[in-house]
Amino acid sequence: MSNILKTLLIVISGGVVFFLRKYKRRRQNGWTLYAPLEQDFVSEPKEYTLKWIEELNEKQFDSLFEDSDDDGELQINALEFKTIKSADSLNEMSEICFLYAAPDVIYEDHHSALVFQDVTPWVLEIIMMEMVPHYKVVKELYIEDKFKEIQLSDLKDESKELAKGLISQKFYPVVTDLYRNNQPLDSIGRIQYFSIKKEDVTPLFLKENDGIHQFMKNNNFKHNKPFVITPVGWKLDENLKDSIAIRSFYFFAKQIVLVVNTFDDSVRAIFIFGEN
């Protein structure tokens, strides 16, 4: 792929701060909580005997992404940010907003900035109605007077309390499955890619599936982009096949790929691909 760079834009922790990590950079489309992965030393590939996964080499992994270079060069004087007043508040939180907001509640020192780029009118309406009222800072980016992205950060205190309540109620159990402990891993090791064999997974229907699927379909799959999540506390072992999150996503996903740090078998990212 001509537009793959050895960098990844991270928009997590320490407020709205941008960090660079060595990894393959895929153009962001809606989800910015990517795994900070580094592979600075040479080590031997690790062999896994799990029958429900199939290893992908780097070239095979790259082939899952459309081959286009859409980064381009931006003229600084053509950029304009507009702040949206987020004075309204909601006394409920949708499954879509909950999925994005949960890490800021589960991890005390975690502060994420969400960036949604090149969104469809439908996706923008969902963001404005279901997500914007929950965030203190909302900005729109225009390039040459054309709307390009919307950014959300700093979850409101009352929205954090809403999310905490949903967690205690076990609302959308995919969230608690994704974030299994309070200690995010930051180890360094060889990265390997594994596609989960769909035929070996028993799909799980959850009532929240439809809303999540529609959002991914219109925001990511429509642009041939994966939906990417950074789980915490995940290890590549036999039991992972029965993960609530994997089973739920495979109710509608076309393919799921795990990015694994073979130093400690930790799953650093989940790439969810779907029909466009």
Side-chain angles (χ1 to χ4, degrees):
M1 295 175 63
S2 61
N3 64 333
I4 295 178
L5 304 176
K6 288 273 185 171
T7 57
L8 174 63
L9 192 61
I10 305 296
V11 197
I12 57 175
S13 73
V16 186
V17 182
F18 293 83
F19 297 92
L20 289 179
R21 292 288 186 265
K22 288 193 175 180
Y23 191 51
K24 292 189 174 297
R25 178 180 178 275
R26 316 291 179 182
R27 188 170 185 271
Q28 299 175 61
N29 243 307
W31 183 262
T32 57
L33 301 180
Y34 291 78
L37 308 178
E38 296 191 8
Q39 188 167 283
D40 290 338
F41 59 89
V42 177
S43 61
E44 292 298 320
K46 188 171 183 177
E47 183 176 350
Y48 292 86
T49 60
L50 303 174
K51 296 182 179 180
W52 53 275
I53 58 174
E54 179 182 3
E55 184 171 4
L56 304 177
N57 59 38
E58 194 166 359
K59 185 176 181 180
Q60 290 171 318
F61 182 62
D62 290 347
S63 70
L64 299 176
F65 300 82
E66 62 178 3
D67 189 9
S68 63
D69 191 347
D70 51 10
D71 290 325
E73 295 183 1
L74 301 179
Q75 299 295 325
I76 299 300
N77 58 5
L79 301 181
E80 181 184 4
F81 282 96
K82 296 182 180 180
T83 300
I84 297 178
K85 297 295 183 181
S86 181
D88 296 337
S89 61
L90 297 177
N91 58 7
E92 60 181 8
M93 182 175 288
S94 70
E95 62 271 20
I96 296 170
C97 186
F98 181 52
L99 179 60
Y100 282 93
D104 283 355
V105 176
I106 297 174
Y107 305 111
E108 185 175 348
D109 296 328
H110 184 286
H111 305 286
S112 61
L114 305 177
V115 181
F116 299 90
Q117 299 177 330
D118 299 325
V119 296
T120 65
W122 184 88
V123 170
L124 183 60
E125 182 179 3
I126 293 296
I127 292 172
M128 296 299 293
M129 292 178 58
E130 299 184 10
M131 301 183 69
V132 166
H134 289 293
Y135 287 85
K136 296 178 183 178
V137 181
V138 181
K139 296 181 178 180
E140 292 180 330
L141 170 63
Y142 290 81
I143 299 177
E144 296 182 348
D145 295 325
K146 293 182 179 180
F147 173 75
K148 286 297 182 180
E149 69 182 38
I150 183 168
Q151 305 174 4
L152 298 83
S153 60
D154 201 357
L155 195 65
K156 293 178 180 178
D157 292 340
E158 57 267 32
S159 296
K160 289 181 181 180
E161 293 303 316
L162 278 174
K164 288 179 182 178
L166 293 176
I167 291 171
S168 65
Q169 297 167 23
K170 301 187 184 302
F171 173 74
Y172 193 38
V174 164
V175 167
T176 49
D177 183 42
L178 286 171
Y179 308 109
R180 297 182 175 185
N181 58 48
N182 294 321
Q183 191 61 44
L185 297 173
D186 195 27
S187 57
I188 298 175
R190 170 178 285 275
I191 298 304
Q192 292 177 216
Y193 312 99
F194 298 92
S195 178
I196 300 176
K197 297 178 181 178
K198 190 171 184 176
E199 63 271 19
D200 289 341
V201 174
T202 302
L204 174 66
F205 173 77
L206 298 174
K207 63 181 183 298
E208 299 87 4
N209 276 4
D210 185 59
I212 296 295
H213 179 206
Q214 289 302 315
F215 192 83
M216 290 186 188
K217 181 178 179 180
N218 284 276
N219 187 51
N220 301 86
F221 304 159
K222 185 179 181 68
H223 301 286
N224 294 315
K225 306 292 183 181
F227 188 87
V228 187
I229 301 178
T230 302
V232 177
W234 279 40
K235 295 282 188 176
L236 184 58
D237 56 27
E238 185 62 40
N239 295 327
L240 193 60
K241 180 184 68 171
D242 298 319
S243 154
I244 291 175
I246 289 175
R247 292 179 59 204
S248 174
F249 292 140
Y250 251 147
F251 190 82
F252 55 79
K254 180 175 68 174
Q255 185 176 10
I256 297 176
V257 176
L258 303 178
V259 179
V260 177
N261 182 343
T262 60
F263 176 78
D264 55 9
D265 301 328
S266 61
V267 177
R268 308 307 302 277
I270 307 169
F271 281 71
I272 304 167
F273 296 85
E275 302 291 344
N276 58 17

